[in-house]
Amino acid sequence: MSDTTIEPRQLILPMFVREDAREPIAISSMPGVYQHTRDTARKAVAEAVQLGLGGVMLYGVPSSKDEVGSGSLDPNGILNVAIRDAVSEAGDDLLVMSDLCLDEFTTHGHCGVLDSAGRVDNDATLAIYAEMGVAQAAAGAHVVGPSGMMDGQVGVVRSALDAAGYVDTVILAYAVKYASAFYGPFREAVGSSLQGDRKTYQQDPGNDARDALREVDLDIAEGADIVMVKPALAYLDIIRQVRDHVKVPVAAYNISGEYAMVEAAAANGWIDRERSILETLNSIRRAGADTILTYWASEAAELLSRR
Ligand code: PBG
């Protein structure tokens, strides 16, 4: 009689693809998660199709970076290459999604370019995001995920996609994104060079849902097709309020630190790992998320099929 269901199609697997990797490289703070080679990434995509997942979200880990993140625009840059690989592997059986943000590609590790005073320059960044969106759509991405929290990012990406003829490319907007400590392991996963924090462009964890709903309204007005709340576990109340407020699908990101906490406790024998994974995903679905990005996506699909 359980009200809440979790189905593989409601899960999206985030994946890291590393340019110079010759074999998968373990991420120490995320046991069981790897920086993929192009080859192992293709295999993971094929497995995701077999398991009936809803999609994959791709992140690139480039071997060289610069001030403006030019690797993000290069059709032969690792992320664009990984998108092409995934699309050729998955066809139309799985949504191929790509992270649209500069942080993996910049030497300073910020999500945007910097001005002469070293501050993130919102509007200069928008111009690059617009080009990046088109580059990802050209590589075949079904869904692009602007995640940098620049004001106006969804609008410029939508206009650029439409102008380039990519009218069917979907935008998954990282609409509500808090400046969270729980992103810690992700910084290792993408080899981030960030010093400092993202508090000038991500949201204040202390703000209540008014701030979140305002962000969501802006993104939908700018053309977002799906809105995301991130992180998930410390913000279940926000997921619920966003779900009750909007008429588009709501995604939630079960992020790296949430994954690491469960894995660490389970590795110590302090909690039951498999039950904790499913209970975690259940809580996010119960809060109202239509779809969940989770590093456990493939494993959870297997666990669910055994129940
Ligand atoms: C930014 C981005 C981040 C995550 C996804 N996209 C890091 C950040 O905003 O600092 C975090 C995901 C996770 O922690 O699992 N491109």
Side-chain angles (χ1 to χ4, degrees):
M1 298 297 286
S2 179
D3 292 319
T4 306
T5 59
I6 312 167
E7 296 172 32
R9 66 178 183 89
Q10 296 160 337
L11 304 176
I12 296 165
L13 176 68
M15 291 176 41
F16 306 102
V17 188
R18 178 164 164 169
E19 187 161 23
D20 58 9
R22 285 163 196 263
E23 54 192 61
I25 298 170
I27 300 162
S28 62
S29 53
M30 300 176 75
V33 180
Y34 294 85
Q35 294 176 328
H36 282 289
T37 67
R38 284 181 62 186
D39 214 41
T40 64
R42 291 185 84 113
K43 290 186 182 125
V45 170
E47 186 190 49
V49 171
Q50 285 303 312
L51 291 165
L53 299 189
V56 292
M57 171 62 78
L58 300 174
Y59 294 93
V61 185
S63 47
S64 68
K65 308 181 185 195
D66 63 23
E67 283 284 300
V68 294
S70 10
S72 65
L73 304 181
D74 181 354
N76 295 317
I78 184 61
L79 181 51
N80 295 322
V81 166
I83 293 169
R84 283 201 296 275
D85 287 347
V87 170
S88 81
E89 200 65 49
D92 289 331
D93 295 333
L94 175 92
L95 288 173
V96 174
M97 311 183 169
S98 50
D99 185 54
L100 203 170
C101 188
L102 289 179
D103 62 323
E104 287 98 50
F105 297 96
T106 52
T107 38
H108 44 76
H110 275 294
C111 292
V113 291
L114 306 183
D115 65 15
S116 52
R119 291 173 306 205
V120 173
D121 186 334
N122 190 94
D123 293 3
T125 303
L126 293 184
I128 302 178
Y129 282 4
E131 269 189 76
M132 193 175 175
V134 172
Q136 296 183 346
H142 304 120
V143 180
V144 296
S147 69
M149 291 304 277
M150 297 300 127
D151 294 334
Q153 62 185 11
V154 173
V156 296
V157 170
R158 183 73 270 161
S159 307
L161 289 172
D162 289 350
Y166 297 109
V167 293
D168 290 330
T169 305
V170 169
I171 297 182
L172 162 63
Y174 286 60
V176 182
K177 183 170 180 183
Y178 292 92
S180 172
F182 294 104
Y183 302 140
F186 178 91
R187 307 266 160 92
E188 181 195 346
V190 297
S192 172
S193 356
L194 184 71
Q195 308 278 327
D197 59 52
R198 306 198 198 284
K199 286 181 185 165
T200 61
Y201 44 105
Q202 298 181 346
Q203 289 168 251
D204 179 350
N207 280 1
D208 67 25
R210 289 181 307 156
D211 186 26
L213 298 183
R214 182 171 157 271
E215 289 283 357
V216 160
D217 286 343
L218 284 167
D219 280 7
I220 292 173
E222 289 176 28
D225 300 288
I226 306 169
V227 291
M228 182 145 75
V229 176
K230 174 181 178 186
L233 290 185
Y235 301 89
L236 294 173
D237 57 324
I238 302 294
I239 296 173
R240 168 48 59 198
Q241 291 183 70
V242 167
R243 184 61 167 71
D244 288 344
H245 178 75
V246 302
K247 295 184 176 63
V248 297
V250 175
Y253 201 141
N254 173 213
I255 61 160
S256 58
E258 300 170 1
Y259 176 91
M261 287 193 293
V262 170
E263 291 293 340
N268 277 292
W270 295 336
I271 57 174
D272 179 323
R273 182 173 174 278
E274 294 185 357
R275 283 184 60 200
S276 300
I277 292 171
L278 293 180
E279 192 172 330
T280 296
L281 298 176
N282 183 77
S283 75
I284 301 169
R285 286 272 303 136
R286 198 185 60 238
D290 298 294
T291 184
I292 305 173
L293 278 77
T294 174
Y295 301 97
W296 288 306
S298 298
E299 186 179 355
E302 279 171 29
L303 294 177
L304 291 164
S305 71
R306 277 196 251 133
R307 281 210 298 196

